[in-house]
Amino acid sequence: MPTPDFVLALRERLGHDLLWMAGVTAVVRDERGHVLLGRRTDNGLWGLVSGILEPGEQPADGLLREIEEETGVVARIEALAGVWTQPEVTYPNGDRAQYLDLCFLARHVSGEARVNDDESTEVGWFPVDALPEGLAPNSRHKLATALAFDGRTRFEGDGVGGGYAAGPGTAARPPLAVLDPGDVVLRRAGADDVRAIVGLIADDQLGATREDPGDLTAYLRAFAAIDADPSQLLVVLDDGGTVVGTLQLSFLPGLSRRGAMRGQVEAVRVAATHRGRRLGEQLVRWAVDESARRGCGLVQLTTDKSRADAHRLYERLGFTASHEGFKMSLDVGTDRRGEEHR
């Protein structure tokens, strides 16, 4: 929709001064799980459907109106995923604004996605693991937060240590925990952390033979899938903007143990410069606590037989070596008998 009349009227009185407004954003998914996006006319970036609420308008009603006006899609609201204050913006004409944004999960009901007004040049459905290039960072952050919705609305800044001064590129990812010593925080990983994470994974005898930090194409593709999956949490340890540790935590449903959910811990790494500070121990303890918070009845992990130090750490934390682990490498283009696929 164009600039609302009430905003134009306020601008006549305020001029370019800062205007505080309420906005709404929709993460709309169809029966395939694809996400509805539009390419904005004003900046050429892809983004989620969003808009400004009219005075007295209910947020859910206003958002459904925006979805249909912009894309022709009729949707229903499923949940409020996140609430946050957006950074102040200055428009090309000098107008200053700041938005309280309510981000909702919604589901497609009817209607074909199409360009339905002059706010977008393209509209379409996208798989969460194949998002378009040029997706606005703000929309990417909202999308990841909404897809990670676990029944609890996310309030930006509600992490432990809300006054955390983030390093470059991390302002949109507040800490999940502050470790001892307090200069290291644990937060969700972002795409700009991928190079550092791959470097950590590659920085040992085993990883050096498997990883290629020089080409991030496959890693970035994998990160997009992880970041958009509510059953996955990729976290990093951040020391003043430098990534010094990482861990991936997956939440696996299963029928055994009376249908208990499992927490699966993978790829635990701490930089050589920060070992001996019990950061790895705190990182794994956080994973155990987070698994319990999400209702898991079991936390499990595997570790290479050569990692004796890691074995001692896990045993000290209460893990038991109760099972033998088996793995099979699958080469692309061949089946398990070594025969080439045609």
Side-chain angles (χ1 to χ4, degrees):
M1 62 174 290
T3 303
D5 290 340
F6 84 92
V7 174
L8 297 176
L10 287 172
R11 282 298 177 200
E12 290 182 0
R13 299 181 183 182
L14 292 175
H16 298 309
D17 288 351
L18 180 65
L19 182 59
W20 172 255
M21 289 181 286
V24 284
T25 300
V27 176
V28 186
R29 305 187 76 181
D30 64 10
E31 67 280 357
R32 302 165 297 174
H34 293 187
V35 178
L36 181 64
L37 300 174
R39 187 191 288 272
R40 293 179 59 90
T41 303
D42 55 359
N43 59 20
L45 296 177
W46 287 94
L48 298 167
V49 179
S50 61
I52 300 170
L53 293 177
E54 297 281 350
E57 188 173 33
Q58 295 295 336
D61 294 339
L63 185 55
L64 293 178
R65 170 182 56 77
E66 289 283 352
I67 296 168
E68 189 167 8
E69 284 180 354
E70 293 185 22
T71 71
V73 168
V74 175
R76 70 171 185 271
I77 300 296
E78 293 189 321
L80 176 62
V83 178
W84 40 60
T85 297
Q86 300 291 285
E88 181 182 326
V89 295
T90 300
Y91 293 103
N93 66 353
D95 288 350
R96 297 167 55 218
Q98 193 165 22
Y99 296 88
L100 172 67
D101 189 77
L102 307 177
C103 182
F104 290 87
L105 277 168
R107 183 66 60 176
H108 172 262
V109 174
S110 64
E112 295 293 329
R114 64 181 186 273
V115 176
N116 206 41
D117 63 13
D118 59 2
E119 287 197 58
S120 303
T121 59
E122 296 179 71
V123 169
W125 298 97
F126 293 87
V128 295
D129 60 351
L131 298 173
E133 293 185 8
L135 179 61
N138 195 25
S139 286
R140 187 177 294 276
H141 172 57
K142 293 177 184 179
L143 177 59
T145 299
L147 295 181
F149 180 71
D150 60 358
R152 184 180 72 93
T153 302
R154 169 71 176 273
F155 296 95
E156 196 78 352
D158 67 349
V160 178
Y164 166 57
T170 66
R173 297 186 295 278
L176 300 172
V178 178
L179 305 191
D180 182 21
D183 54 344
V184 177
V185 300
L186 186 152
R187 60 171 174 80
R188 287 189 70 125
D192 50 338
D193 298 315
V194 170
R195 184 176 299 278
I197 294 171
V198 175
L200 288 173
I201 296 173
D203 189 25
D204 63 23
Q205 185 175 1
L206 295 173
T209 65
R210 299 188 298 233
E211 311 303 337
D212 180 13
D215 183 0
L216 295 182
T217 304
Y219 298 105
L220 288 169
R221 187 184 308 117
F223 172 79
I226 293 168
D227 199 45
D229 188 340
S231 297
Q232 304 291 333
L233 263 178
L234 181 62
V235 300
V236 294
L237 299 182
D238 186 317
D239 187 354
T242 299
V243 172
V244 298
T246 186
L247 172 149
Q248 183 174 341
L249 179 59
S250 305
F251 303 101
L252 310 176
L255 297 183
S256 63
R257 295 175 178 258
R258 298 186 177 182
M261 184 81 74
R262 297 173 183 235
Q264 173 79 25
V265 179
E266 296 278 356
V268 181
R269 298 288 192 278
V270 174
T273 56
H274 284 64
R275 292 172 193 160
R277 300 170 59 177
R278 305 189 72 179
L279 295 177
E281 177 179 334
Q282 295 179 74
L283 182 58
V284 176
R285 286 191 187 279
W286 172 85
V288 172
D289 291 344
E290 180 66 14
S291 297
R293 187 183 75 81
R294 296 211 183 193
C296 294
L298 180 74
V299 182
Q300 61 190 28
L301 54 82
T302 61
T303 180
D304 193 272
K305 290 184 177 181
S306 66
R307 300 187 188 276
D309 290 342
H311 301 173
R312 287 190 287 270
L313 167 63
Y314 298 139
E315 288 171 353
R316 188 167 70 248
L317 293 176
F319 289 87
T320 58
S322 58
H323 291 65
E324 288 287 343
F326 293 84
K327 296 191 177 185
M328 176 186 293
S329 295
L330 301 178
D331 295 328
V332 176
T334 61
D335 63 21
R336 282 177 290 180
R337 296 167 297 179
E339 298 175 355
E340 185 178 352
H341 291 308
R342 297 291 182 182

